[in-house]
Each structure stands twice: as structure tokens, then as C-alpha cells.
Amino acid sequence: MGRTQLVMTDSSARLPKSQKTRNRIISAAREIIARKGTEFTLQEVTSAADVAVGTFYLHFSTKQELFRAVALSAFGDWEEQLLPHLENINNLLVRQACALRFFARMADQFPQEASIVKWASPLLGVSSQGYSEKFKQDVAQLVAEGIFTAENVEAKLIAATAAMERALTMRSLNIAFDDNHIDDVVEAVLVMFGADAQEAHHAAHCALPQL
């Protein structure tokens, strides 16, 4: 597969000045985290974004809040690229499995985004706000259709997030963690949610669409 790097840009010149400033801070932090991880100073970010430290605090009250914004920005850009390739998959369980499988493979085509998510996500804390809205919607629909069970959904979301972030990290670090390992993790996640074992195996191991 080819390697692709997404670049966050201000998509509209009509954005308010405050939003443009916030975006500039996030963009600067994304580049720094992708390059050196989370060991950086706020002065490095403000210098790269060409804003004053006081301006930074108008947008982010803590460094952890910045981490969250950066991780969600990177994940959102990746998801925006991914979702059009999943639209033609009619089987919701297969579509959910493909999204999870691509997430763990993020470093293969989107190394900057994978690096950011790998470094920043563990620092965010776990809450329902940390999940992709699309992911939550699909899980809710799978529960409504009886494919997933309704018990302890929030706990399962936490466990699934932890499992997939671990898979992403192992893949990103070039640890011996190949496609089969990733697909086995996804299969286990689907079964944990209550999917039929045979259907989970098929969904987690069928051919992936081309990105």
C-alpha cells in the first residue's frame, strides 16, 4: 500500500478569527506530537502557531485539553477519508469490522495520524465522548437489530477502545503484529459485543475494500 499523510487545513476563509486561531494551534501541536510525541512545552506550540501564551489559554485550559483536541482532529481527518470507502458495504457488522480493521492499520497509510492517536489517546481518559460518533451510532444500531447484545454497552466500548488502541500501537511500532493478528483482535471485539461467533469471524476476515 502507498503511504499517505493528511494535512489539516482551514477549509473555509469564512471561519471566525478565533476558530482560525484554534485551528492553527491544533495544527502546530499535531505536527509536534507526530514528530516527537507528547514531551513538548506549550512555548513550542505557541511559537509554531505564532500566537501568544495568553492566546493559547483562551482556547485550551490545560495541555490535556489540547491533547484531546489534537487526537480528535487527527482521528476525524482519518475517518473522513475512510468512510466513503465503507458506504457501499450493506452489512452493518461487516462495515463496523472493516472500520476497526482499518483503524489498527492506520499507520500503513496515514502515519502522522496514527502517531498522534498513539501518543495522545492514552492521555485523554476514557469516556463516551472519546468515541467516534459514527462508531457509537453503528453500535447502537447493531444493538437495536439484535446483532449486539444490550448489556454493559459502555463497558464494552471502553474495552473495545483499549483493545484497538493497543493494536494500533503495536502495528505503529513495527512489532510483529500482522494483518491476521489485527483481524483476530477485531473478531474478539465483535464477539465481546455479542455478535454470533461465525458471523464475527467472517466480518473480521473478509476482504477489505481498497483505500
Side-chain angles (χ1 to χ4, degrees), residues 9-29:
T9 60
D10 292 332
S11 59
S12 175
R14 294 171 294 183
L15 284 174
K17 182 179 179 181
S18 62
Q19 186 61 54
K20 290 181 180 179
T21 301
R22 178 183 172 87
N23 287 353
R24 199 160 70 246
I25 294 170
I26 293 173
S27 181

Side-chain angles (χ1 to χ4, degrees), residues 116-137:
I116 291 167
V117 172
K118 179 186 69 178
W119 285 112
S121 291
L123 304 176
L124 301 178
V126 179
S127 74
S128 61
Q129 295 179 350
Y131 311 124
S132 158
E133 284 301 317
K134 179 62 175 173
F135 179 58
K136 289 191 292 183
Q137 291 168 7

Side-chain angles (χ1 to χ4, degrees), residues 92-113:
L92 183 59
L93 183 65
V94 173
R95 186 163 74 238
Q96 182 70 69
C98 287
L100 294 174
R101 293 163 71 192
F102 276 126
F103 175 83
R105 292 165 166 83
M106 192 187 300
D108 296 355
Q109 291 190 301
F110 306 109
Q112 187 191 76
E113 284 62 40

Side-chain angles (χ1 to χ4, degrees), residues 1-210:
M1 291 185 177
R3 297 175 71 85
T4 307
Q5 181 167 303
L6 300 174
V7 178
M8 189 186 77
T9 60
D10 292 332
S11 59
S12 175
R14 294 171 294 183
L15 284 174
K17 182 179 179 181
S18 62
Q19 186 61 54
K20 290 181 180 179
T21 301
R22 178 183 172 87
N23 287 353
R24 199 160 70 246
I25 294 170
I26 293 173
S27 181
R30 280 179 62 158
E31 293 178 6
I32 291 170
I33 293 175
R35 187 173 69 250
K36 58 186 296 186
T38 57
E39 296 300 320
F40 62 88
T41 66
L42 291 183
Q43 286 73 21
E44 288 179 87
V45 175
T46 55
S47 177
D50 193 26
V51 300
V53 173
T55 300
F56 172 89
Y57 282 111
L58 291 175
H59 297 275
F60 305 99
S61 59
T62 64
K63 194 175 181 181
Q64 185 173 13
E65 189 176 328
L66 173 63
F67 286 146
R68 174 177 172 77
V70 167
L72 292 179
S73 170
F75 183 83
D77 281 358
W78 169 79
E79 189 175 51
E80 185 178 338
Q81 296 291 317
L82 173 67
L83 291 181
H85 297 278
L86 304 182
E87 289 179 349
N88 293 328
I89 301 176
N90 295 322
N91 184 306
L92 183 59
L93 183 65
V94 173
R95 186 163 74 238
Q96 182 70 69
C98 287
L100 294 174
R101 293 163 71 192
F102 276 126
F103 175 83
R105 292 165 166 83
M106 192 187 300
D108 296 355
Q109 291 190 301
F110 306 109
Q112 187 191 76
E113 284 62 40
S115 179
I116 291 167
V117 172
K118 179 186 69 178
W119 285 112
S121 291
L123 304 176
L124 301 178
V126 179
S127 74
S128 61
Q129 295 179 350
Y131 311 124
S132 158
E133 284 301 317
K134 179 62 175 173
F135 179 58
K136 289 191 292 183
Q137 291 168 7
D138 284 351
V139 168
Q141 186 174 344
L142 285 161
V143 170
E145 294 180 5
I147 298 171
F148 285 173
T149 56
E151 293 80 15
N152 302 315
V153 172
E154 182 66 20
K156 292 172 183 176
L157 282 168
I158 293 171
T161 300
M164 297 314 302
E165 287 179 354
R166 179 61 175 169
L168 169 67
T169 297
M170 294 179 70
R171 181 70 161 226
S172 300
L173 294 176
N174 295 317
I175 294 172
F177 199 73
D178 62 21
D179 288 350
N180 286 328
H181 290 115
I182 289 173
D183 296 344
D184 286 344
V185 170
V186 172
E187 180 180 349
V189 166
L190 298 180
V191 170
M192 175 189 67
F193 273 107
D196 173 81
Q198 288 187 340
E199 292 180 1
H201 179 80
H202 168 73
H205 294 273
C206 63
L208 285 167
Q210 292 293 318

